[in-house]
């Protein structure tokens, strides 16, 4: 429905009117969603079902957008290299989990191309005096396509002449109708209030968008494109392999269900997944969880650490491994228990933590894809152990349509 409409639904169909009683003729639209998608399908919670859907969601999101290790979005975005050269800056605007997806995207794009990017939460973007104009590509990311702040931010950017693009899971949602161009995340309906599979679909689409933009700008080295696309195609199998180890993650979570709260740390590409992992915990277990760039801990938060405040450290085997390990050591010195999310085969990590969640190796840029799923499960099992209402957490709404 559009704004200011009334619908009358009967066995014969649906008739739309405006508030003066005039009939509105509307075109019907086919949504590729089936009734079975809205059932729990044998899982105790929608959230768990949706976590398990993620390998398929990534595969589905890649479908038709990659071929022969190359990305092609030309059938969805009719952009020319000339047009793109006019966009000097990229703004990503979103709320909640969608915002963290844009932070992942920005970091991946920094690695693969040469972009001037800013990521902003929509409620700030709308009210600050950020320069926006025809030289701006503004990308609005919203699972529901109905979040009031994101919608208003999109209207603002449009009015200021920015080129606007929306990434949404709901075809025909308000933002999708209002913003000229859109990319759909084909994750299917997400019922659990805490977003899981839509985050995964968003980071998949946004990674492809980054590669595509970079390619049209002639900035993308063909080897990088092939390497990343090939690694993206392997993500579904890697996610499935993490799901095979669900029991191990559950066991780690059980050890910490009585913690006072959690600290999450990560550097570079590991920082946005740390934010998302902390958000999942807050949302469904009502425990305080805070994520920090690991190197920033010493500037304040370290004062909070003690034996009752575990630190979840995202420590992939990459160039920053030693740096993060030194932050783990600082935390250990304050008696904080460490839960490490580390790369399979990392034989040294055992010196620092008895609670290790191993993730499969992938290309360094794609670490967020495989880091988030174990953190979703970690939050889920802590919330379950604490008897929380996982699919409908208190005080939260799936879609926030008011300011
Ligand atoms: C609410 C939901 C979050 C979601 C956020 C943004 O707060 O509880 O899970 O991330 O809105 O929603 P959107 O639909 O715009 O992605």
């Amino acid at each position: 429905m559009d704004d200011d409409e009334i619908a009358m639904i009967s066995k014969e169909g649906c008739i739309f009117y405006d508030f003066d009683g005039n009939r509105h003729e509307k075109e019907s639209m086919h949504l590729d969603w089936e009734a079975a998608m809205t059932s729990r399908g044998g899982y105790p919670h929608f959230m768990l079902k949706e976590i398990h859907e993620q390998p398929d969601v990534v595969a589905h999101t890649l479908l038709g957008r990659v071929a022969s290790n190359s990305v092609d979005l030309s059938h969805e975005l009719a952009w020319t290299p000339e047009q793109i050269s006019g966009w000097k800056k990229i703004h990503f605007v979103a709320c909640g989990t969608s915002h963290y997806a844009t932070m992942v995207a920005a970091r991946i794009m920094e690695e693969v191309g040469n972009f001037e990017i800013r990521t902003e939460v929509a409620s700030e973007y709308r009210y600050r005096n950020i320069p926006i104009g025809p030289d701006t590509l503004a990308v609005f990311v919203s699972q529901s396509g109905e979040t009031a702040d994101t919608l208003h931010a999109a209207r603002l950017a449009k009015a200021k002449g920015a080129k606007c693009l929306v990434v949404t899971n709901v075809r025909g949602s308000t933002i999708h109708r209002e913003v000229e161009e859109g990319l759909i995340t084909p994750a299917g309906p997400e019922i659990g209030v805490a977003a899981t599979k839509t985050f995964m679909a968003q980071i998949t689409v946004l990674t492809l968008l980054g590669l595509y933009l970079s390619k049209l700008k002639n900035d993308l080295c063909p080897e990088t494109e092939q390497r990343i696309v090939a690694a993206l195609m392997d993500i579904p199998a890697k996610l499935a392999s993490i799901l095979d180890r669900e029991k191990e993650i559950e066991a780690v979570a059980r050890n910490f269900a009585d913690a006072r709260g959690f600290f999450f740390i990560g550097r570079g590409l590991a920082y946005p997944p740390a934010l998302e992992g902390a958000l999942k915990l807050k949302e469904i277990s009502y425990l305080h969880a805070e994520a920090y760039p690991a190197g920033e801990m010493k500037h304040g938060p370290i004062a909070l650490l003690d034996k009752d405040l575990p630190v979840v450290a995202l420590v992939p085997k990459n160039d920053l491994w030693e740096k993060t390990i030194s932050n783990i050591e600082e935390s250990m010195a304050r008696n904080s228990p460490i839960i490490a999310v580390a790369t399979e085969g990392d034989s040294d990590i055992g010196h620092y933590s008895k609670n290790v969640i191993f993730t499969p190796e992938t290309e360094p840029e794609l670490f967020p894809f495989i880091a988030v799923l174990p953190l979703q499960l970690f939050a889920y099992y802590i919330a379950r152990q604490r008897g929380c209402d996982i699919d409908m957490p208190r005080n939260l709404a799936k879609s926030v349509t008011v300011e």
Side-chain angles (χ1 to χ4, degrees):
M1 289 175 76
D2 283 310
D3 287 345
D4 304 322
E5 280 186 333
I6 299 167
M8 213 165 74
I9 303 169
S10 66
K11 270 188 271 180
E12 281 71 45
C14 189
I15 307 172
F16 297 86
Y17 299 96
D18 64 20
F19 287 168
D20 296 323
N22 304 311
R23 213 170 143 161
H24 281 190
E25 294 306 327
K26 294 170 84 76
E27 276 181 30
S28 65
M29 178 190 293
H30 181 80
L31 291 186
D32 199 13
W33 290 5
E34 289 162 23
M37 290 175 169
T38 56
S39 81
R40 281 208 310 267
Y43 287 93
H45 297 98
F46 280 107
M47 184 179 175
L48 191 60
K49 177 188 174 219
E50 289 159 0
I51 288 173
H52 277 258
E53 283 171 5
Q54 292 178 110
D56 286 345
V57 163
V58 173
H60 200 175
T61 307
L62 292 171
L63 210 65
R65 290 168 166 157
V66 293
S68 317
N69 288 346
S70 145
V71 54
D72 185 7
L73 301 180
S74 59
H75 51 295
E76 295 173 274
L77 305 171
W79 292 348
T80 59
E82 295 69 43
Q83 222 179 345
I84 287 178
S85 65
W87 304 331
K88 301 293 175 221
K89 42 197 186 194
I90 299 178
H91 292 178
F92 281 117
V93 187
C95 300
T97 290
S98 300
H99 171 58
Y100 293 150
T102 68
M103 289 180 67
V104 169
R107 278 164 174 74
I108 295 177
M109 286 169 76
E110 283 162 8
E111 296 294 323
V112 301
N114 182 17
F115 299 102
E116 204 184 309
I117 307 170
R118 64 193 296 164
T119 53
E120 297 288 343
V121 288
S123 54
E124 289 290 309
Y125 190 78
R126 326 174 34 182
Y127 294 118
R128 281 168 54 203
N129 202 13
I130 294 172
I132 308 168
D135 64 347
T136 314
L137 170 65
V139 184
F140 299 88
V141 181
S142 174
Q143 178 281 125
S144 63
E146 302 294 345
T147 301
D149 280 320
T150 312
L151 177 60
H152 285 282
R155 286 176 182 159
L156 172 85
K158 205 169 157 184
K160 290 193 170 185
K163 172 73 184 177
C164 295
L165 168 72
V166 62
V167 174
T168 182
N169 199 43
V170 184
R171 198 180 286 281
S173 56
T174 307
I175 302 184
H176 193 225
R177 291 197 309 267
E178 288 197 17
V179 172
E180 62 225 86
E181 288 190 274
L183 289 172
I184 296 292
T185 54
E190 187 174 64
I191 314 286
V193 166
T196 52
K197 63 175 179 173
T198 53
F199 172 87
M200 204 61 85
Q202 287 168 345
I203 61 176
T204 308
V205 164
L206 292 172
T207 303
L208 295 178
L209 176 66
L211 290 171
Y212 187 62
L213 276 171
S214 191
K215 191 154 126 170
L216 288 188
K217 276 169 57 170
N218 235 348
D219 270 348
L220 184 64
C221 131
E223 291 76 42
T224 306
E225 179 180 19
Q226 284 172 16
R227 181 175 61 78
I228 303 280
V229 173
L232 276 171
M233 311 270 280
D234 282 344
I235 290 290
K238 299 202 164 163
L239 295 178
S241 77
I242 300 172
L243 288 168
D244 287 342
R245 305 167 81 162
E246 184 172 351
K247 286 268 168 276
E248 291 167 36
I249 300 168
E250 179 181 356
V252 175
R254 278 179 186 279
N255 291 341
F256 293 96
D258 295 326
R260 180 176 90 223
F262 289 87
F263 241 106
F264 283 67
I265 57 171
R267 284 173 182 260
L269 282 145
Y271 175 50
L275 285 164
E276 177 58 8
L279 179 64
K280 289 303 90 149
L281 256 178
K282 280 185 273 220
E283 286 179 315
I284 60 169
S285 74
Y286 315 141
L287 283 170
H288 180 66
E290 197 168 344
Y292 253 82
E296 188 65 11
M297 277 252 298
K298 54 187 168 297
H299 300 294
I302 200 163
L304 295 168
L305 297 188
D306 64 20
K307 65 174 180 28
D308 299 318
L309 195 64
V311 172
V312 180
L314 277 65
V315 56
K317 199 78 186 163
N318 63 17
D319 297 352
L320 295 170
W321 185 87
E322 278 169 11
K323 299 269 174 212
T324 310
I325 288 289
S326 79
N327 302 120
I328 291 179
E329 287 175 323
E330 286 161 10
S331 309
M332 290 167 78
R334 275 84 192 172
N335 299 320
S336 283
I338 308 293
I339 300 148
V341 178
T343 308
E344 229 155 41
D346 179 347
S347 51
D348 298 316
I349 195 70
H351 303 312
Y352 305 95
S353 176
K354 288 197 287 294
N355 295 284
V356 183
I357 297 172
F358 282 108
T359 55
E361 255 187 273
T362 180
E363 291 301 314
E365 295 89 339
L366 301 189
F367 175 69
F369 284 80
I370 47 141
V372 160
L373 196 157
L375 298 179
Q376 294 167 342
L377 285 173
F378 182 72
Y380 172 82
Y381 281 109
I382 287 193
R384 196 157 147 183
Q385 182 88 352
R386 293 169 62 84
C388 300
D389 189 352
I390 291 177
D391 282 334
M392 300 257 275
R394 69 185 183 202
N395 306 346
L396 296 178
K398 183 72 188 155
S399 172
V400 182
T401 55
V402 291
E403 234 190 290

